[in-house]
Amino acid sequence: MGDNKQMRFNVDDESDDDFYVTEEAEFPTTRYQGSKRDIVDWLWDEITRVEFDSVLDVFGGTGAISHKAKQFNKQVFYNDYLRFNHQIGLAIIENNEHRLTDEDVEFLLTDHDHLDYPSFIQEEFEDLYFTDEENDWLDRMHVNINELDNKYKRAIAHSAVAQSCLAKRPYNLFHRANLYMRTQDVERSFGNKTTWEKPFEEHFRDNVDEYNKGVFDNGRDNKAFNKDVMEWENPPEADLVYLDPPYYDRTKQNGETNYQFYYHFLEGYLQYDDWPEMIDDSVKTKRLHHEKSPWTDKDRIYEAFEYTFDKFQDSHIVLSYNSAGLPTPEELMEMLEERKENVVVEAKEHQYALSTHEDSADEIIFVAYD
């Protein structure tokens, strides 16, 4: 793919200090579709073809790349337009020191007589995603989390709740109202019933422990944002911009990757008081009303890439992509070559969530720099 512009950046051996890991911190387990956790080391090797001191992770997701960059002493600007992902950015990227203590966890897992607990989830989502007892737990946890007086502790708690919810969901998604897949007494060829039936409290404790272990201080002023890149007027300046947008699979009739659809329940939970007015009651899943994103619209996705590349053309641009995506890798190469002197492309076979081996695609990374 490409020609003489596929040049590798030679890193000077004297710059080894730039790659010194400040602290061994463990990145949390995730069940998020599209997470780069399993290939983060390969991606990091490709990203560090170029020198940079600061990075803007525009579609931050689970924070795998941001956390890796933070470990390597970079100043990190994490961003994600989904609120529940933003909580991850607050918890382990912007946050340098705050962890949930044992006392905090016990407070969160205790019913308090002085607090008024709602029943919205129990009533609105009965028999859809979780059992009655589990819905009650989620209603109460929402109130208890809001009693914490530190935003980073709240972020860790919200992140732990989100991962606990995903662990108990078939496919780790909310795209179907399919509680019955858990509760039916039948033989299954997929999923893990033991994990599904593990109490929320146990999942929560385990996930809090993982997020606590992900917190560390790299001595930099890192920030987490909750912005839509298409509407972000003044993003922070960074030496390198990392892009991992939702991809549109051109090999399928409806190839959109719609995270707002997959994770609407977690988004609603972060907007609990406004949740009732946000629900689309015309569908059984009770997803949220939302405007279609250009990243999930094949008629607008080209414009989205052109706009985003223009927006960050003063920085190194690194793009993670899927070989089956639209635009094609060749078309993206042309777009980047119009803006950068050097464009390097590498590919790695990678199994995507919810895909079979037969329809798996290559993970592609573009590194574009002047």
Side-chain angles (χ1 to χ4, degrees):
M1 199 183 317
D3 48 25
N4 61 343
K5 294 192 176 183
Q6 296 183 31
M7 296 165 52
R8 296 178 181 273
F9 189 91
N10 295 318
V11 179
D12 191 334
D13 291 338
E14 296 180 359
S15 66
D16 286 347
D17 288 344
D18 292 342
F19 302 98
Y20 173 70
V21 181
T22 57
E23 183 175 340
E24 288 296 331
E26 299 178 20
F27 184 71
T29 302
T30 178
R31 294 172 174 83
Y32 189 69
Q33 179 165 333
S35 174
K36 297 300 188 287
R37 184 177 188 270
D38 292 340
I39 58 172
V40 66
D41 290 333
W42 173 74
L43 289 170
W44 187 251
D45 285 343
E46 299 300 330
I47 291 170
T48 52
R49 293 173 181 278
V50 294
E51 291 183 349
F52 62 97
D53 184 58
S54 57
V55 56
L56 170 59
D57 188 356
V58 178
F59 302 87
T62 61
I65 294 296
S66 285
H67 198 260
K68 177 66 74 173
K70 185 177 179 181
Q71 285 184 303
F72 279 82
N73 288 348
K74 309 302 182 183
Q75 182 179 22
V76 183
F77 303 110
Y78 168 101
N79 177 67
D80 200 281
Y81 75 105
L82 292 176
R83 286 173 171 82
F84 81 94
N85 278 341
H86 175 240
Q87 293 297 302
I88 298 173
L90 287 173
I92 60 174
I93 305 303
E94 183 172 310
N95 177 25
N96 287 331
E97 59 179 333
H98 300 282
R99 297 174 176 86
L100 285 178
T101 65
D102 291 342
E103 291 76 13
D104 292 330
V105 172
E106 294 311 314
F107 172 85
L108 291 170
L109 293 173
T110 299
D111 289 351
H112 303 280
D113 293 337
H114 68 286
L115 297 179
D116 183 22
Y117 294 109
S119 57
F120 170 71
I121 296 176
Q122 299 168 65
E123 296 170 4
E124 187 71 26
F125 295 95
E126 183 178 6
D127 295 329
L128 294 186
Y129 300 119
F130 303 107
T131 65
D132 293 343
E133 180 181 2
E134 292 166 348
N135 286 334
D136 174 60
W137 187 91
L138 288 166
D139 278 323
R140 289 183 286 111
M141 181 58 73
H142 158 74
V143 175
N144 287 353
I145 290 175
N146 284 341
E147 291 294 305
L148 298 175
D149 61 2
N150 180 282
K151 71 175 183 178
Y152 298 120
K153 289 189 175 186
R154 291 195 299 271
I156 292 172
H158 277 303
S159 298
V161 168
Q163 289 301 319
S164 300
C165 286
L166 293 178
K168 293 175 72 66
R169 290 291 305 136
Y171 308 108
N172 306 132
L173 300 173
F174 294 88
H175 63 317
R176 298 174 186 167
N178 54 1
L179 176 62
Y180 68 90
M181 295 183 73
R182 273 183 51 191
T183 57
Q184 282 185 332
D185 187 16
V186 296
E187 291 188 13
R188 295 174 175 83
S189 60
F190 75 99
N192 187 328
K193 188 169 176 59
T194 300
T195 300
W196 291 342
E197 300 311 318
K198 182 178 177 179
F200 256 127
E201 178 175 333
E202 293 183 31
H203 277 297
F204 181 74
R205 288 182 185 276
D206 291 343
N207 287 313
V208 165
D209 184 55
E210 290 203 18
Y211 277 98
N212 275 345
K213 290 178 180 177
V215 175
F216 71 102
D217 185 357
N218 73 342
R220 307 301 296 270
D221 184 19
N222 307 299
K223 296 294 182 183
F225 299 90
N226 178 214
K227 300 288 187 179
D228 181 342
V229 66
M230 305 302 290
E231 301 174 0
W232 200 356
E233 293 184 1
N234 296 299
E237 294 183 3
D239 301 328
L240 184 144
V241 173
Y242 176 74
L243 304 172
D244 184 19
Y247 77 92
Y248 192 100
D249 190 337
R250 67 181 186 277
T251 68
K252 298 179 180 178
Q253 185 172 0
N254 180 14
E256 67 179 51
T257 304
N258 192 335
Y259 292 103
Q260 296 182 82
F261 174 44
Y262 295 157
Y263 303 109
H264 63 88
F265 185 92
L266 304 182
E267 279 296 275
Y269 196 74
L270 266 297
Q271 302 167 84
Y272 192 97
D273 293 340
D274 298 322
W275 203 352
E277 288 72 40
M278 300 168 65
I279 290 175
D280 182 355
D281 287 315
S282 69
V283 291
K284 187 176 180 180
T285 58
K286 295 183 179 291
R287 65 190 179 193
L288 305 182
H289 290 288
H290 66 274
E291 294 184 4
K292 192 175 182 66
S293 166
W295 302 101
T296 60
D297 185 342
K298 64 180 180 180
D299 294 326
R300 294 191 292 158
I301 196 167
Y302 283 84
E303 179 184 350
F305 272 105
E306 296 277 12
Y307 173 85
T308 304
F309 290 159
D310 282 343
K311 192 182 195 76
F312 299 115
Q313 62 182 336
D314 292 335
S315 303
H316 304 314
I317 297 176
V318 177
L319 170 66
S320 284
Y321 204 58
N322 181 297
S323 61
L326 187 73
T328 66
E330 291 79 10
E331 290 171 326
L332 288 171
M333 183 78 175
E334 291 180 6
M335 292 184 199
L336 288 169
E337 287 181 338
E338 290 175 0
R339 295 163 174 86
K340 294 294 179 182
E341 289 295 321
N342 310 290
V343 182
V344 179
V345 186
E346 295 290 346
K348 181 181 182 66
E349 186 175 353
H350 178 53
Q351 186 76 19
Y352 285 82
L354 300 186
S355 69
T356 65
H357 179 72
E358 289 75 15
D359 63 8
S360 63
D362 286 342
E363 176 76 16
I364 299 178
I365 185 167
F366 297 82
V367 181
Y369 59 99
D370 292 320

